[in-house]
Amino acid sequence: SIYFMSGQIASVAGASAPFALIIAFVFCFSLGLVISEFSKFVSTSGSFYSFVTLGLGKSAGFFTAWMMLTGYGLLTMQTVLQFAGWTADVFLRNTNLDVHWVVFSVLLVIAISGLAWRGINPALSLSLVLTSIETCIIASFCIVVCIKGGAEGNYPLAFTPFPVLNNVGGPGGWGGLIHGLVFSVLVFVGFETAAVLGEETENPKRNIPLAVTGSLLITLAYMAWGVYSMVIAQGPHHAYDLPNLASPADLFARRYIGPWFAVFIDLAGISATYNVASASFNNMYRVLYTIAREGVVPALQGCGRTGS
């Protein structure tokens, strides 16, 4: 999301933040091709767990499953906290209602748990609607910022390593660019989600690979443009200062469009954090379902069923 990752990437990669995303895409796309090839032969809800189990045996699969559950569990908790904190700030900023963030955390957990229990269709339907609206809002913001040229004019060199190697808007050097890759890879996390839908997708051997590679390409275009817009909105020579701003997306929406549009930007931020939390939880839920169904952990066998 441009709300939370733009500043982190720019803080170390400077004005080359969009270029860092392009390099991260290359690494993630390589992994995506591997997942796609496996998905052509194995249709499963276990994703990496099933792939590793079939390739390297049950012990390696067991270890992989718990790594996935830990990773997706932590990601889910992180995004729940982001959703709760952002939503509480949005309410306070726009309505002066000081609602404790715990309230939003509980509501989100109830919502994504209930949808996961019902099946993937309700969860995906809601996410698709929210993502479509969110994309229109962010795209409108980016178009206006690019047309107006941001704080210092448009800066095509942001898509090259030139800025970071010449200390434009950041600490500079290859170290800054490499550090930026760490945050940039996180932007693409979620593309592998399609692999857990192998048992719920029509013609999975064709559609899962298309979904994996297609989501990576769309994410690259969407996020590279979004991060570029944030960089020029701040000004390339001051890109490193992005993480020091409180709600930069809201600030830039007010600066370049108007206070009325900032409300839509705030709502799009709520949608973005909800969608990430929902996706990570559904990943975790389906891996848990798979290992429970296969009896890997007897104590979890009660999880080996769904509500539909």
Side-chain angles (χ1 to χ4, degrees):
S1 169
I2 67 169
Y3 293 87
F4 305 105
M5 298 309 302
S6 298
Q8 297 298 324
I9 301 171
S11 68
V12 288
S16 286
F19 178 73
L21 279 170
I22 295 174
I23 300 302
F25 164 80
V26 174
F27 293 119
C28 292
F29 193 76
S30 299
L31 178 58
L33 292 177
V34 174
I35 296 173
S36 297
E37 286 302 310
F38 273 111
S39 298
K40 291 178 182 179
F41 298 96
V42 182
S43 299
T44 176
S45 59
S47 183
F48 294 111
Y49 159 71
S50 298
F51 301 153
V52 172
T53 298
L54 291 172
L56 300 177
K58 291 184 178 181
S59 296
F62 177 83
F63 181 69
T64 300
W66 283 107
M67 287 183 64
M68 294 179 68
L69 290 174
T70 301
Y72 287 127
L74 291 173
L75 179 60
T76 300
M77 288 188 287
Q78 173 196 333
T79 51
V80 166
L81 292 175
Q82 283 183 331
F83 172 90
W86 178 267
T87 305
D89 286 345
V90 168
F91 266 73
L92 182 61
R93 186 161 53 239
N94 294 286
T95 68
N96 290 322
L97 292 176
D98 189 6
V99 182
H100 201 282
W101 63 269
V102 172
V103 175
F104 296 112
S105 297
V106 173
L107 292 175
L108 178 61
V109 170
I110 292 173
I112 60 178
S113 300
L115 288 171
W117 178 260
R118 287 286 305 278
I120 195 61
N121 286 334
L124 279 183
S125 297
L126 178 58
S127 290
L128 284 173
V129 171
L130 292 176
T131 299
S132 299
I133 297 173
E134 173 196 338
T135 300
C136 291
I137 293 172
I138 298 300
S140 300
F141 167 77
C142 293
I143 289 171
V144 172
V145 171
C146 289
I147 289 176
K148 292 188 174 181
E152 301 172 5
N154 278 290
Y155 192 69
L157 287 176
F159 295 97
T160 72
F162 175 84
V164 71
L165 298 181
N166 290 273
N167 302 320
V168 177
W174 287 107
L177 183 60
I178 293 172
H179 195 175
L181 287 177
V182 176
F183 297 115
S184 298
V185 167
L186 292 176
V187 169
F188 294 94
V189 169
F191 72 90
E192 76 288 352
T193 300
V196 304
L197 302 178
E199 298 179 18
E200 302 169 82
T201 303
E202 183 178 347
N203 194 4
K205 291 178 172 56
R206 172 184 176 274
N207 291 329
I208 297 299
L210 286 176
V212 170
T213 54
S215 65
L216 280 165
L217 290 168
I218 293 172
T219 300
L220 172 65
Y222 176 72
M223 287 301 301
W225 185 28
V227 171
Y228 170 77
S229 299
M230 294 289 282
V231 167
I232 65 170
Q234 171 68 3
H237 289 84
H238 301 281
Y240 67 92
D241 203 35
L242 262 176
N244 297 325
L245 300 177
S247 302
D250 179 275
L251 173 65
F252 296 147
R254 295 175 186 275
R255 179 184 301 173
Y256 293 102
I257 301 178
W260 65 271
F261 192 78
V263 176
F264 290 99
I265 284 290
D266 289 345
L267 293 175
I270 294 175
S271 169
T273 51
Y274 165 82
N275 286 328
V276 176
S278 177
S280 61
F281 184 84
N282 274 288
N283 253 11
M284 180 178 66
Y285 189 89
R286 276 156 180 76
V287 174
L288 180 63
Y289 163 78
T290 302
I291 64 174
R293 182 183 60 185
E294 296 181 4
V296 177
V297 182
L300 296 178
Q301 286 185 343
C303 298
R305 58 190 180 88
T306 63
S308 59

